[in-house]
Amino acid sequence: MRGKPRRSGRGRIARTAQPCYNQIAIYGLRQDMPEVTPEETRAAVARSAQEPTEANQGRLNAVPERRRNPCPLGQGGCQCRLGNNRLERSGAEVRAPFRYSPMSDRTITYSPAFTLVPTYECFNRCTYCNFRQDIGTRGWLSLEAAAQQLAELNPQQVREILILSGEVAPNSPQRSQWLERLYNLAALALNQGFLPHTNAGPLSRAEMAYLKQVNVSMGLMLEQLTPKLLQSVHRHAPSKDPQLRLHQLEQAGELGIPFTTGLLLGIGEAPQDWAETLTAIAECHRRWGHIQEVILQPHSPGQQQEAALPPFDLRQLPNVVRLARSLLPAEITIQIPANLVTDAEVLQACLEAGARDLGGIVPLDHVNPDYPHRDVAALREQLQAWGWELVPRLPVYPQFVDWLPPPLRGCLFKLESQLIDVAP
């Protein structure tokens, strides 16, 4: 199956009264003042449109210009190009990646993966986070240290390198260096025989286009679309503005980037908010056709988080899976993290409800370090007892292979046949 971005006319996305984010929203934020109101964030958006960051200069501005149409958000001067622009795609026929058959009714996939963390330091402070460290306390991963970590992996057992980073503020003088580090880590992973997938928070359009050159897919959790979380768990997390994150999905589609997004469940939202968030994802995908998978991630308390939030009630998860399956287009895969679904009956119920992927199975889940992954062989045995087959996949789904730049496509075809079906 060949993938093509598709549009259903000049569709509108949720909450059209909000500003159109053609740059990262948090502009002018001081690192020592994390508390920024939504009103200040929206005001900063307007400034950022006239004050591009250093990362948007030079070679990052080499993004091809396209015919400019009115923005579907109604912002006449917007540069986001969300009108009826037609993306050019390669017409070459391609082979489907190794072993993955999305049409198999009883197949469950996972990605044999390893995580590189450029930095744990993050200018956001989500109260449920078990990942972040304060700025200036941890430092960055060097290319030398990353190369050593990758050299210790078996390229026949691991395919995906998840580049998962804390966020550097858009106005920070370190922003361009951080972006360059993300690029170089992905390039290093490619050179050592792996396929990179980067998740590093909201990025400008130029930054996304730059990283597209060295990533077979990218991702960003939408989490929840309700703005009320900006007054609670996201009070000190300006880049968790839901409209900013939703716009990232639009940018990814417009750039033709195979994309993963998802919901974080149990962080203060109401059940009706799940439908709103899923519907927004579905509408975005119908405009562009670029969403590979949607993660349904239950909040799972850890030892490092600030707030004593209760865990998401796993008994509700199969119902959320059913809701997602009813609202999302059929070609979008629903993913549940196997290490966070600790009840076997719930896991089985989620699969029967429509979940078809277990995500990246890694030696360490850096976002949820208190929840180790099970051994793949044991997990496979359990699924077989339920009538499911667990098979590895690549970090880019088959229908998106011909979206990739030719060099990345060549890397994928070179590596796909080497993947061995064993635990990383």
Side-chain angles (χ1 to χ4, degrees), residues 13 18 71 98 111 132 167 190 204 240 247 257 294 297 311 319 355 363 372 392 400 406 410 413-414 417:
I13 67 175
Q18 296 293 329
C71 173
F98 176 68
S111 177
R132 76 173 297 278
E167 298 179 37
L190 284 170
S204 73
K240 292 300 179 77
H247 190 68
I257 298 173
V294 168
Q297 179 176 326
N319 292 331
F400 299 105
F413 292 152
K414 179 181 177 181
S417 62

Side-chain angles (χ1 to χ4, degrees), residues 6-18:
R6 60 180 183 274
R7 301 297 305 270
S8 57
R10 193 187 305 171
R12 299 179 70 84
I13 67 175
R15 306 179 189 276
T16 56
Q18 296 293 329

Side-chain angles (χ1 to χ4, degrees), residues 55-97:
N56 293 338
Q57 304 302 320
R59 59 181 169 177
L60 299 185
N61 276 333
V63 179
E65 288 291 327
R66 299 188 178 93
R67 179 173 56 88
R68 187 175 303 168
N69 284 333
C71 173
L73 292 174
Q75 307 294 323
C78 177
Q79 306 294 314
C80 73
R81 302 176 181 86
L82 296 183
N84 294 324
N85 301 317
R86 183 177 181 83
L87 295 183
E88 297 180 358
R89 290 281 170 255
S90 167
E93 296 293 338
V94 295
R95 298 175 291 138

Side-chain angles (χ1 to χ4, degrees), residues 226-282:
T226 174
K228 67 184 179 183
L229 299 182
L230 293 173
Q231 305 302 323
S232 56
V233 294
H234 292 155
R235 182 181 180 187
H236 301 299
S239 81
K240 292 300 179 77
D241 185 298
Q243 291 302 311
L244 169 62
R245 299 177 84 81
L246 183 59
H247 190 68
Q248 296 295 295
L249 270 65
E250 295 285 343
Q251 285 188 154
E254 198 256 347
L255 289 167
I257 298 173
F259 212 71
T260 293
T261 188
L263 282 66
L264 184 54
L265 305 168
I267 55 174
E269 80 285 355
Q272 57 265 30
D273 296 326
W274 304 334
E276 180 185 18
T277 305
L278 288 164
T279 299
I281 294 171

Side-chain angles (χ1 to χ4, degrees), residues 59-186:
R59 59 181 169 177
L60 299 185
N61 276 333
V63 179
E65 288 291 327
R66 299 188 178 93
R67 179 173 56 88
R68 187 175 303 168
N69 284 333
C71 173
L73 292 174
Q75 307 294 323
C78 177
Q79 306 294 314
C80 73
R81 302 176 181 86
L82 296 183
N84 294 324
N85 301 317
R86 183 177 181 83
L87 295 183
E88 297 180 358
R89 290 281 170 255
S90 167
E93 296 293 338
V94 295
R95 298 175 291 138
F98 176 68
R99 292 198 56 189
Y100 177 55
S101 173
M103 302 303 293
S104 176
D105 290 339
R106 304 297 293 183
T107 295
I108 304 298
T109 57
Y110 75 99
S111 177
F114 182 82
T115 305
L116 289 178
V117 179
T119 180
Y120 292 90
E121 297 180 356
C122 186
F123 80 106
N124 287 321
R125 200 172 80 239
C126 306
T127 61
Y128 53 77
C129 185
N130 288 278
F131 174 87
R132 76 173 297 278
Q133 299 289 332
D134 291 335
I135 293 170
T137 63
R138 188 66 181 260
W140 292 7
L141 176 68
S142 69
L143 294 179
E144 294 76 13
Q148 183 175 356
Q149 291 183 37
L150 295 178
E152 295 173 356
L153 302 177
N154 184 342
Q156 293 186 322
Q157 297 178 7
V158 175
R159 268 294 158 261
E160 175 180 357
I161 298 301
L162 170 60
I163 300 174
L164 179 69
S165 183
E167 298 179 37
V168 173
N171 64 306
S172 168
Q174 293 185 308
R175 179 78 179 192
S176 60
Q177 297 174 359
W178 173 73
L179 179 68
E180 198 71 16
R181 186 64 54 88
L182 297 178
Y183 183 99
N184 288 337
L185 287 171

